[in-house]
Amino acid sequence: MTKTKNSDKKQPKIPTELIQRYYKEIFDPGDLISIIGLSTFYRREFAFLLERNIFVRNISFKDTRELIRYMTTNPIRLSYVGAVYETPPSKQLSIQRILWESREFCFDLDINDYDLVRVCGCQGKEQYCSECWSLVQDAAAFLDKSLREDFGFKDIVWIFSGRRGFHAWVRDAVGGKLSQLQRNSIVRYLTLIKDETRTQAVEKDLKNVIPLRDRIIEMIAKSFFTRATDKELRVEPFRFTGKQIERLRYNLKNSSRPFHFTYDTILDSKKNRDNIFTHIIKYRFPRIDRKVSIDIRRVLKVPGGVQGTNGKICCKVDIKKIFKFFPENAPTIFEYFS
Ligand SMILES: [Zn+2]
């Protein structure tokens, strides 16, 4: 596994004219429409970060032509899209003054939310390596499966967020109508780390989280053990013997049976198996940005838009291929204009 650190910091600022050219010549509004739909487009809120850090919101457009005209005639650094309102948002009719109608149920996974448990040494919003990027890949796969199997959502689109993670857009109509309270309940169910910015304490009585428990073993624990070194497995809380490590490695490589058979066999003899489970959760369980998911008026980067700092396109990512996707695979604005 390569441990080269990737950083966007050294990249030059993308000229605004180049961003405008991208929206004029390359940007396909069809991709955006395939996510947010056409019938309510004119009542969607859009927001933009302009040059000199000016942030504008409460903007709506009659159609995609009008949106593109705006994006190609204003000094845009980043573009965002928010909720659908009963009437089109505008300066005069700001989103606080009009009725909220719906907004996709969205999730945000960011690599820097794992800073306290990134053992590779990467930190902050700009650094990642294949080792720690696997944390957000695992999180996306786990979250996608949980939303489908535990809540019945079917239409989930994954977007590379341009820099440090993924956004999920749950497009099912029922998801779009969920209240803040309902979104919060779902996010709470999917959150096991109590204080993500400090203690990283694991929250619940894990024996009671049955659907998550099985999935954690199949997806998160399996991933943990696949990456763990012998040295790690010989010390607390694991204290695996050479034989146990050998068995674990052999099964991870050769067994086609679900991973819990291996997990249970090896851990059955351990008095501290709950501590081991908690340890795995602490180091690998998904960190979901709660605010993004529960705030029904939140704006999120426009799928297909450009990340103004590094020129990367916020592209769709097929969840089935999530483990093959790294930020350097995202198309960049430079590919189109070299
Ligand atoms: Zn790293």
Side-chain angles (χ1 to χ4, degrees):
M1 184 178 291
T2 53
K3 276 211 174 182
T4 330
K5 271 180 201 141
N6 298 284
S7 173
D8 295 331
K9 262 185 187 157
K10 289 178 204 97
Q11 296 193 350
K13 192 184 159 195
I14 315 299
T16 302
E17 300 72 46
L18 199 62
I19 294 176
Q20 290 177 333
R21 222 181 125 194
Y22 168 82
Y23 285 118
K24 192 172 191 171
E25 296 173 22
I26 309 294
F27 176 70
D28 180 1
D31 288 345
L32 172 65
I33 294 302
S34 75
I35 295 171
I36 66 169
L38 193 58
S39 61
T40 55
F41 181 86
Y42 70 105
R43 293 186 278 122
R44 276 274 174 184
E45 185 197 12
F46 282 85
F48 301 92
L49 180 70
L50 306 175
E51 277 180 356
R52 282 176 282 137
N53 258 341
I54 299 165
F55 188 71
V56 288
R57 57 186 299 181
N58 295 301
I59 300 176
S60 56
F61 302 99
K62 270 199 211 77
D63 50 34
T64 55
R65 275 180 64 181
E66 217 182 52
L67 165 71
I68 289 175
R69 196 178 309 132
Y70 183 93
M71 295 200 288
T72 51
T73 51
N74 286 279
I76 284 176
R77 304 302 304 166
L78 286 166
S79 38
Y80 299 88
V81 57
V84 177
Y85 295 87
E86 206 179 49
T87 44
S90 63
K91 254 185 202 156
Q92 294 72 33
L93 286 174
S94 72
I95 57 163
Q96 279 78 24
R97 301 176 60 191
I98 52 180
L99 273 177
W100 177 91
E101 192 176 283
S102 67
R103 193 253 196 181
E104 292 77 8
F105 191 14
C106 292
F107 291 85
D108 182 21
L109 304 169
D110 283 335
I111 189 66
N112 57 298
D113 288 336
Y114 294 83
D115 275 0
L116 292 173
V117 292
R118 282 204 270 177
V119 290
C120 51
C122 299
Q123 288 286 295
K125 296 174 184 180
E126 310 290 351
Q127 289 182 336
Y128 67 91
C129 66
S130 56
E131 179 70 34
C132 59
W133 185 252
S134 72
L135 288 163
V136 281
Q137 290 171 318
D138 275 3
F142 186 89
L143 180 57
D144 189 84
K145 205 169 168 67
S146 302
L147 290 169
R148 287 174 200 276
E149 291 185 359
D150 298 353
F151 296 97
F153 292 122
K154 291 185 174 69
D155 193 353
I156 307 171
V157 180
W158 285 89
I159 304 287
F160 168 56
S161 62
R163 202 162 58 166
R164 54 194 162 120
F166 296 112
H167 291 154
W169 290 68
V170 177
R171 295 187 64 251
D172 298 68
V174 64
K177 294 284 187 191
L178 292 174
S179 69
Q180 198 137 318
L181 206 63
Q182 290 166 325
R183 288 171 206 236
N184 193 36
S185 302
I186 294 176
V187 173
R188 279 188 62 84
Y189 166 82
L190 294 164
T191 301
L192 296 181
I193 313 289
K194 210 188 281 177
D195 182 353
E196 291 173 355
T197 54
R198 284 195 303 247
T199 64
Q200 307 287 300
V202 175
E203 185 153 27
K204 292 174 187 165
D205 183 355
L206 299 166
K207 278 171 289 202
N208 297 333
V209 191
I210 298 302
L212 284 179
R213 189 187 178 280
D214 292 350
R215 198 173 297 128
I216 289 166
I217 290 171
E218 289 310 326
M219 300 178 82
I220 307 292
K222 186 177 181 183
S223 179
F224 181 93
F225 285 119
T226 304
R227 292 177 166 79
T229 61
D230 286 14
K231 201 176 150 198
E232 250 179 294
L233 296 175
R234 281 182 190 279
V235 296
E236 288 293 338
F238 303 102
R239 292 209 159 273
F240 282 4
T241 62
K243 243 190 173 153
Q244 286 172 323
I245 294 176
E246 202 178 306
R247 179 169 199 171
L248 174 73
R249 299 255 181 261
Y250 179 84
N251 283 4
L252 279 170
K253 212 171 167 194
N254 302 300
S255 177
S256 54
R257 300 173 84 193
F259 182 67
H260 72 260
F261 289 107
T262 303
Y263 184 92
D264 287 338
T265 316
I266 294 176
L267 269 72
D268 258 353
S269 59
K270 299 274 178 198
K271 283 199 188 87
N272 67 338
R273 56 180 298 168
D274 283 355
N275 293 354
I276 292 176
F277 192 56
T278 303
H279 181 92
I280 292 167
I281 288 171
K282 179 171 170 172
Y283 281 89
R284 286 207 80 84
F285 193 77
R287 270 66 167 170
I288 295 167
D289 187 333
R290 180 185 298 253
K291 293 186 292 295
V292 172
S293 294
I294 68 170
D295 181 359
I296 55 174
R297 291 184 169 78
R298 184 96 172 188
V299 292
L300 214 58
K301 296 225 189 81
V302 166
V306 185
Q307 170 72 33
T309 54
N310 60 19
K312 288 184 175 137
I313 312 297
C314 303
C315 58
K316 272 191 197 179
V317 181
D318 181 349
I319 190 65
K320 292 189 193 85
K321 296 178 186 157
I322 202 90
F323 292 104
K324 292 200 165 73
F325 183 88
F326 295 87
E328 58 266 33
N329 303 135
T332 73
I333 199 166
F334 310 109
E335 284 166 35
Y336 301 110
F337 312 108
S338 51

